[in-house]
Amino acid sequence: MLTITDSARDRINEILLEENNPNIKLRIFVQGGGCSGMQYGFTLDEETTEEDTVLDINGVNLLVDSMSGMYLTGATIDYKEDLVGNSFSVSNPTTKFP
């Protein structure tokens, strides 16, 4: 479903370790973004709902709701540090947002 690069995995694990809560997982979601179309988002979440799928990808536990899951198939999550700043990015050449 998803790919997580080593740099993204390492940063996610650092964030989760800083939270010091074994119940927290990273939630990735897709939401409407108005004129710019759909956007990817990340949040830390302790709650898992009936609509969630828990994925273990590259050693990271992710929560993905059913609606977002269909837009995340084939996506790659990366983390980059450069002169502009540090950030996660999601690229998905297989998904076309309506």
Side-chain angles (χ1 to χ4, degrees):
M1 173 183 224
L2 285 166
T3 302
I4 299 176
T5 65
D6 291 342
S7 60
R9 178 205 57 216
D10 293 346
R11 182 62 185 133
I12 292 166
N13 285 333
E14 287 173 10
I15 291 168
L16 295 175
L17 187 62
E18 290 169 5
E19 290 297 316
N20 196 27
N21 181 341
N23 298 320
I24 290 182
K25 295 176 182 64
L26 180 70
R27 177 179 295 279
I28 181 169
F29 57 92
V30 178
Q31 64 185 14
C35 295
S36 61
M38 304 291 258
Q39 296 182 4
Y40 297 103
F42 300 92
T43 187
L44 298 177
D45 203 336
E46 289 183 282
E47 301 292 323
T48 302
T49 70
E50 294 176 3
E51 294 184 17
D52 290 333
T53 300
V54 179
L55 304 172
D56 182 348
I57 301 172
N58 199 8
V60 174
N61 284 325
L62 293 175
L63 295 176
V64 179
D65 65 82
S66 58
M67 191 283 295
S68 297
M70 64 186 188
Y71 292 108
L72 291 167
T73 301
T76 299
I77 300 170
D78 194 14
Y79 181 76
K80 296 187 183 200
E81 297 179 9
D82 56 29
L83 295 175
V84 177
N86 307 333
S87 63
F88 286 100
S89 65
V90 179
S91 63
N92 191 345
T94 63
T95 299
K96 303 280 189 255
F97 292 123

